[in-house]
Amino acid sequence: MVGKVLRKVEPKPGATGGFFSVCYVVSRENEQAFLKALNFHAFFQLFNGKSIVEVIKEQTDAFKFERDLLLRCKESKLSKISMVIDEGEVVLDGFTIPNVPYLIFELSDGDVRSHMNFSKDVEIVWKLNSLHNVAVGLKQLHGVEIAHQDLKPSNILMYEKGVVSKIGDLGRSLCSDIEAPHENGGAFPGDLNYAPPEFLYRFIDPDWNFRVRSTDMYLFGSLIVFYFSGTNMTALIGKNLDPKFKWTQWQGTFADVQDYLVDAFYKGVKEFKSYISDNTLSNELSEIVSYCCFPIPHKRGHPKTNTVASNIKGGTATNFNPFNFERIVSKFDLLYKRSKYNLK
């Protein structure tokens, strides 16, 4: 049941998929919720050389894919994923299509950007707790064979007055057993401003499981960088890279540019550390960022497991999975509790 529509929600900068969806705040069973419906009007405004039939199929397939992933998360009771409350079809004012597919979510307090302060150390406890929540969410997603692939600030949503962080927007995710309509030969499905370097140099690892998990780990490390600096690791690498080796200019192979990437990466890590006044925390977070975001995917991952990264192939040897979030979850739980205790 949709309930009463209270107001339309305009998409915020950085949101993905907004053109083909329209969003509302609705009143449902005496609580407010967030409704996302397919925007059929938009189909007639942007074709990109495709027929209207192709565009409608593309977008309805995308909607069904996201719905199926969300229902899997709901059935698995994933606590750190923005939960879908209901789904179905409804008639909305101003729509010429008789039945509009919709999804209803728990209403958030906004995304992480509205709660961020990069200049106050007192925010550290909140940041560490939020990152712990996100790490738990990624661990939960991977546990049900979903890789997010578009982890960025606008997709980290706040609940319970900013106390709880949850991962939102599974629209660009990939799943091992549900085919994604946007899975195009292994190309990066998310926002290219946050993409791991290998994709920017057109290197695509043929192992699907390895590729998507290493991507999520990079994106998580890049999110850590954002929480404490306001930028992301891809931007820091680009900033510290000689222009002739940057992905927008480079015509050679990914293998030939790796030494320059690694050098720019370590300069970026050093810059990231300078944003954190607590030396102990700075060293610990930079260590996590270093193994999460290492620009060579086969050397990425937790140092105790990345030497046996080949064991991830097939997705069965989780004890040897360099992209297993278990250690990261435990580490951020420890960092959060230690920082909270030190503040008292």
Side-chain angles (χ1 to χ4, degrees):
M1 184 180 73
V2 172
K4 181 181 179 181
V5 174
L6 300 179
R7 66 180 185 275
K8 186 176 180 180
V9 178
E10 298 300 333
K12 293 183 178 181
T16 53
F19 187 79
F20 288 109
S21 62
V22 59
C23 302
Y24 301 88
V25 173
V26 297
S27 175
R28 187 177 182 272
E29 298 177 358
N30 297 320
E31 292 186 355
Q32 291 190 5
F34 180 82
L35 183 146
K36 177 180 177 182
L38 268 181
N39 184 1
F40 282 100
H41 282 319
F43 295 176
F44 299 92
Q45 299 173 34
L46 184 65
F47 298 133
N48 289 328
K50 300 175 183 177
S51 72
I52 184 62
V53 173
E54 289 176 304
V55 173
I56 290 177
K57 183 180 186 307
E58 231 175 50
Q59 296 306 315
T60 52
D61 285 350
F63 187 90
K64 288 188 291 184
F65 174 76
E66 183 178 8
R67 178 201 63 193
D68 291 347
L69 295 193
L70 287 164
L71 291 177
R72 174 177 292 191
C73 292
K74 183 178 181 179
E75 290 167 4
S76 301
K77 299 180 180 178
L78 303 192
S79 61
K80 294 301 183 287
I81 306 302
S82 180
M83 195 58 61
V84 63
I85 299 172
D86 197 5
E87 56 88 20
E89 295 183 357
V90 67
V91 177
L92 292 175
D93 292 341
F95 279 67
T96 56
I97 306 297
N99 295 305
V100 179
Y102 68 87
L103 297 166
I104 294 181
F105 298 86
E106 51 187 340
L107 186 65
S108 75
D109 302 323
D111 66 56
V112 73
R113 296 171 298 178
S114 61
H115 291 256
M116 197 64 70
N117 188 316
F118 302 106
S119 61
K120 293 183 179 179
D121 287 346
V122 73
E123 297 287 330
I124 287 177
V125 173
W126 179 86
K127 291 175 183 178
L128 294 173
N129 182 52
S130 178
L131 287 166
H132 174 259
N133 289 175
V134 175
V136 171
L138 287 169
K139 180 177 180 290
Q140 291 176 340
L141 283 176
H142 289 188
V144 294
E145 301 300 322
I146 298 172
H148 191 277
Q149 307 296 281
D150 196 25
L151 196 70
K152 58 184 180 179
S154 62
N155 288 338
I156 308 302
L157 305 178
M158 310 307 303
Y159 297 87
E160 299 179 26
K161 297 181 179 179
V163 174
V164 176
S165 300
K166 296 186 181 184
I167 299 174
D169 195 349
L170 302 187
R172 306 304 295 174
S173 296
L174 298 175
C175 182
S176 65
D177 58 342
I178 303 177
E179 185 177 358
H182 51 269
E183 193 164 6
N184 183 21
F188 183 64
D191 187 333
L192 285 174
N193 290 316
Y194 297 85
E198 61 268 25
F199 290 99
L200 300 175
Y201 288 95
R202 299 171 297 281
F203 173 79
I204 298 173
D205 192 286
D207 187 315
W208 184 93
N209 199 41
F210 183 95
R211 184 174 70 247
V212 301
R213 289 174 181 260
S214 66
T215 294
D216 270 1
M217 178 154 279
Y218 179 93
L219 294 175
F220 177 75
S222 188
L223 196 67
I224 299 173
V225 173
F226 171 80
Y227 270 53
F228 288 89
S229 70
T231 188
N232 65 72
M233 181 48 72
T234 303
L236 285 181
I237 291 174
K239 177 182 176 181
N240 288 284
L241 195 61
D242 187 313
K244 64 177 175 287
F245 299 121
K246 197 169 181 181
W247 46 86
T248 53
Q249 302 295 325
W250 182 252
Q251 298 298 314
T253 66
F254 180 59
D256 288 339
V257 81
Q258 287 183 5
D259 288 345
Y260 305 103
L261 270 178
V262 171
D263 179 66
F265 169 71
Y266 281 127
K267 289 177 180 176
V269 172
K270 184 178 180 180
E271 183 174 340
F272 162 68
K273 290 181 68 174
S274 71
Y275 287 98
I276 307 170
S277 58
D278 183 316
N279 288 333
T280 300
L281 182 62
S282 175
N283 289 332
E284 290 182 295
L285 289 179
S286 65
E287 180 184 3
I288 299 171
V289 169
S290 292
Y291 70 71
C292 284
C293 293
F294 198 77
I296 316 305
H298 283 80
K299 295 182 179 180
R300 191 177 297 154
H302 197 281
K304 289 190 176 181
T305 52
N306 65 7
T307 56
V308 287
S310 60
N311 287 320
I312 193 177
K313 295 181 185 294
T316 56
T318 54
N319 290 335
F320 298 100
N321 177 357
F323 312 121
N324 189 333
F325 274 86
E326 186 66 45
R327 294 179 187 272
I328 295 177
V329 168
S330 298
K331 184 65 175 180
F332 272 97
D333 184 47
L334 176 65
L335 292 174
Y336 163 65
K337 289 177 179 176
R338 190 180 70 195
S339 294
K340 184 178 181 181
Y341 174 79
N342 288 341
L343 267 187
K344 292 183 178 180

